[in-house]
Amino acid sequence: MAPDALRLRDVLVRRHGRDGRPLLLLDGIDWTVAPGEQWVVLGPNGAGKSTLLRLAGGGMQPTSGRVEVLGARVGGVDLRDLRERIGLVDAATARALRPSLSGHEVVLTGIFGSIALQPRRLRPEHDEHVRAALALVGAEPLAIRRYEDCSQGERQRLLLARALVGRGGTGPELLLLDEPAAGLDLPSRERLVGALAASAAARPDLPTVTVTHHLEEIPPTTTHALLLRGGRIVAAGPVGEVLRSEPVGACFGLPVAVDRTDGRWRAHVAVDAWHLTDHA
């Protein structure tokens, strides 16, 4: 039986701010992501979402508590080997890639989870993996386009394809997406959500965690949700139980109405309700 993709037990993360004062980023986090589960992590700015994703990707260790990723305890294994098993889409990777790379080359860097191409390690079948990933996310026309000439939405789809060809082309064992739709206009967002849904359908066994601020960015294939506020879990579990008006409102500190149509979620606040909350 495959181990849980993620298992966090009583996790606390504390850091010191620029003024030297301790900052509590996460506190009392108990969370499990099982094989095949598609999670979304929601919360306001400063809730601890990015910190949670860094723990999940082996990018940091907790101050206390236990973090296990793909059956390995963070702090007890070589994190470089662990990270090669994880597909990641985040802003840091997007900034680090050479602008002159073609779309095909961008995805090719994901074969070995590196930023630079590794021509001595590449084989003809790797190109086949790249073409299949580009087709899956609807980015085939971007194969010959320079990365720097792609729109933000096109770059995000290339990064998703890049994450899906990890581990030598066989695909990652865990997929982490840090605000993949941030800054996208409506058409670009919808194309990306479609690409995420297509990848989930193609790899239903692949556990995925997507961090976002907005319910409208959640793929319809999502199975579970975690709401985070002030470094603590507000609610976590099957998506239909968590993405309801009351828990989402408690998470964001607003009288939010949540509804779902055709598998997609939407949250809104009545205009006359804004005076009930301090938004400074």
Side-chain angles (χ1 to χ4, degrees):
M1 187 173 182
D4 291 324
L6 292 172
R7 181 176 291 187
L8 283 68
R9 292 293 177 265
D10 198 23
V11 167
L12 180 145
V13 176
R14 184 184 290 114
R15 292 289 184 267
H16 286 88
R18 295 180 179 179
D19 58 2
R21 295 181 180 179
L23 299 174
L24 191 60
L25 304 182
L26 293 173
D27 187 18
I29 301 297
D30 286 303
W31 181 39
T32 300
V33 175
E37 292 181 347
Q38 310 279 321
W39 281 79
V40 63
V41 178
L42 283 157
N45 289 330
K49 301 187 301 298
S50 294
T51 301
L52 190 65
L53 207 67
R54 286 186 64 195
L55 289 171
M60 66 184 300
Q61 297 186 30
T63 305
S64 64
R66 184 182 183 94
V67 177
E68 295 179 6
V69 182
L70 299 173
R73 182 172 182 177
V74 174
V77 296
D78 188 332
L79 291 181
R80 291 172 298 181
D81 293 338
L82 182 61
R83 289 170 192 153
E84 287 187 3
R85 301 165 64 190
I86 300 171
L88 176 65
V89 175
D90 67 347
T93 302
R95 292 191 298 267
L97 289 164
R98 275 175 39 207
S100 60
L101 291 176
S102 69
H104 186 94
E105 290 170 331
V106 165
V107 180
L108 203 57
T109 65
I111 292 288
F112 300 113
S114 64
I115 295 301
L117 290 169
Q118 300 187 38
R120 293 184 180 180
R121 300 178 66 188
L122 293 172
R123 299 189 299 274
E125 59 263 33
H126 292 146
D127 286 321
E128 292 298 323
H129 292 312
V130 168
R131 283 190 280 270
L134 286 169
L136 179 63
V137 303
E140 291 172 289
L142 306 179
I144 60 174
R145 189 177 304 175
R146 287 163 61 103
Y147 182 61
E148 64 184 346
D149 295 332
C150 293
S151 68
Q152 181 67 14
E154 291 168 339
R155 293 182 186 185
Q156 290 301 94
R157 280 185 285 143
L158 287 175
L159 290 173
L160 176 58
R162 178 185 181 276
L164 292 172
V165 298
R167 296 176 62 235
T170 60
E173 297 173 59
L174 172 64
L175 181 62
L176 304 176
L177 310 166
D178 191 3
E179 298 188 40
L184 301 187
D185 60 17
L186 180 60
S188 297
R189 184 194 75 189
E190 291 304 294
R191 291 189 187 99
L192 180 65
V193 170
L196 292 171
S199 66
R203 282 282 311 272
D205 61 316
L206 177 62
T208 302
V209 178
T210 301
V211 165
T212 182
H213 294 286
H214 306 292
L215 274 72
E216 291 77 9
E217 296 173 359
I218 300 174
T221 46
T222 300
T223 62
H224 291 73
L226 182 148
L227 303 179
L228 202 62
R229 180 179 177 87
R232 296 177 179 271
I233 294 177
V234 176
V239 68
E241 298 176 10
V242 175
L243 294 188
R244 297 181 294 106
S245 299
E246 184 176 350
V248 172
C251 179
F252 286 92
L254 288 170
V256 173
V258 174
D259 56 65
R260 188 180 187 186
T261 304
D262 296 329
R264 299 289 299 279
W265 287 267
R266 183 176 72 104
H268 63 92
V269 180
V271 174
D272 59 0
W274 282 96
H275 72 279
L276 299 175
T277 307
D278 179 13
H279 301 283

